[in-house]
């Protein structure tokens, strides 16, 4: 097994942190960057922090709302929304699993304060990090996700799974679903 296979986040595993069945959240179909329409392609098909990307795209800093958390051993997981500070519009849903042993005590404490997006905490603390896009997804949201993102049933949006390596270690697994 190569490193990429071993460190690629599993979509079902991430979703099951907060949902009994992944289809409760959404139906997911893996797609290529070429199959991803704009503006979703611009928002998702890159190896950068989503916090910075959505702030630049929406021309507004974002706030995080933590909807639910789970702690399992050294892993801290959370289901979140990012909203624009300018008008409160939700621009991203996410599920994040952090392997705290790779983050350091101060960074872990700030992330667990649930006041600042993970990407912003890592940037503010100048943690050596590398974001790795692993998959792009066409997403048909379930009822809850439609409600959270103010979408109509059947509307198609897009998301991605990604990893953030901190000091060379796979520290953060991500599912990020955006609205245009």
């Amino acid at each position: 097994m190569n490193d990429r296979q071993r460190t690629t986040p599993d979509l079902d595993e991430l979703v099951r942190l907060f949902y009994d069945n992944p289809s409760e959240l959404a139906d997911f179909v893996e797609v290529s960057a070429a199959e991803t329409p704009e503006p979703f392609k611009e928002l998702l098909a890159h190896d950068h922090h989503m916090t910075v990307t959505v702030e630049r795209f929406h021309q507004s800093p974002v706030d995080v709302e933590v909807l639910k958390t789970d702690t399992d051993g050294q892993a801290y997981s959370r289901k979140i929304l990012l909203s624009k500070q300018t008008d409160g519009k939700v621009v991203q849903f996410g599920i994040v699993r952090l392997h705290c042993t790779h983050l350091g005590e101060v960074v872990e404490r700030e992330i667990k304060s649930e006041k600042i997006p993970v990407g912003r905490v890592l940037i503010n603390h100048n943690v050596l990090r590398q974001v790795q896009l692993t998959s792009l997804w066409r997403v048909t949201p379930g009822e809850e996700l439609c409600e959270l993102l103010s979408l109509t049933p059947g509307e198609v949006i897009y998301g991605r799974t990604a990893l953030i390596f901190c000091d060379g270690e796979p520290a953060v697994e991500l599912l990020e679903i955006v609205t245009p």
Side-chain angles (χ1 to χ4, degrees):
M1 178 185 277
N2 67 37
D3 286 343
R4 181 170 166 92
Q5 289 172 320
R6 196 169 52 250
T7 58
T8 298
D10 180 88
L11 174 71
D12 284 352
E13 190 177 313
L14 282 174
V15 173
R16 286 181 194 280
L17 291 169
F18 297 103
Y19 297 89
D20 290 334
N21 184 331
S23 65
E24 291 175 47
L25 176 63
D27 288 321
F28 295 89
V29 176
E30 191 168 7
V31 295
S32 68
E35 296 171 295
T36 306
E38 294 296 351
F40 296 104
K41 184 175 180 177
E42 177 184 344
L43 283 163
L44 297 164
H46 55 78
D47 290 320
H48 306 290
H49 282 284
M50 286 299 292
T51 305
V52 174
T53 301
V54 296
E55 287 178 340
R56 184 179 59 243
F57 182 84
H58 291 286
Q59 299 177 358
S60 172
V62 294
D63 290 321
V64 66
E65 177 185 354
V66 177
L67 303 171
K68 194 169 183 181
T69 64
D70 183 60
T71 304
D72 180 19
Q74 290 297 312
Y76 164 75
S77 302
R78 64 191 198 182
K79 178 170 79 166
I80 62 102
L81 296 174
L82 294 182
S83 302
K84 296 189 317 184
Q85 287 182 2
T86 53
D87 63 8
K89 180 183 185 295
V90 175
V91 296
Q92 181 181 313
F93 169 88
I95 294 177
V96 182
R97 179 166 46 191
L98 301 109
H99 302 280
C100 299
T101 55
H102 303 304
L103 297 175
E105 190 176 314
V106 173
V107 171
E108 178 183 352
R109 186 171 41 250
E110 193 164 323
I111 288 169
K112 288 182 175 178
S113 77
E114 301 181 359
K115 294 181 169 95
I116 302 171
V118 169
R120 180 66 55 215
V121 172
L122 297 175
I123 291 166
N124 288 349
H125 287 278
N126 209 20
V127 173
L128 179 61
R129 64 211 172 275
Q130 175 193 357
V131 179
Q132 176 186 314
L133 168 66
T134 56
S135 295
L136 294 168
W137 302 95
R138 184 174 57 240
V139 179
T140 305
E143 186 177 326
E144 179 189 33
L145 192 54
C146 281
E147 230 175 87
L148 291 170
L149 299 179
S150 300
L151 301 169
T152 56
E155 190 171 347
V156 173
I157 55 176
Y158 289 79
R160 75 179 194 167
T161 46
L163 282 169
I164 301 176
F165 291 83
C166 296
D167 298 321
E169 296 294 331
V172 184
E173 298 171 80
L174 303 158
L175 167 62
E176 300 162 312
I177 300 171
V178 295
T179 61

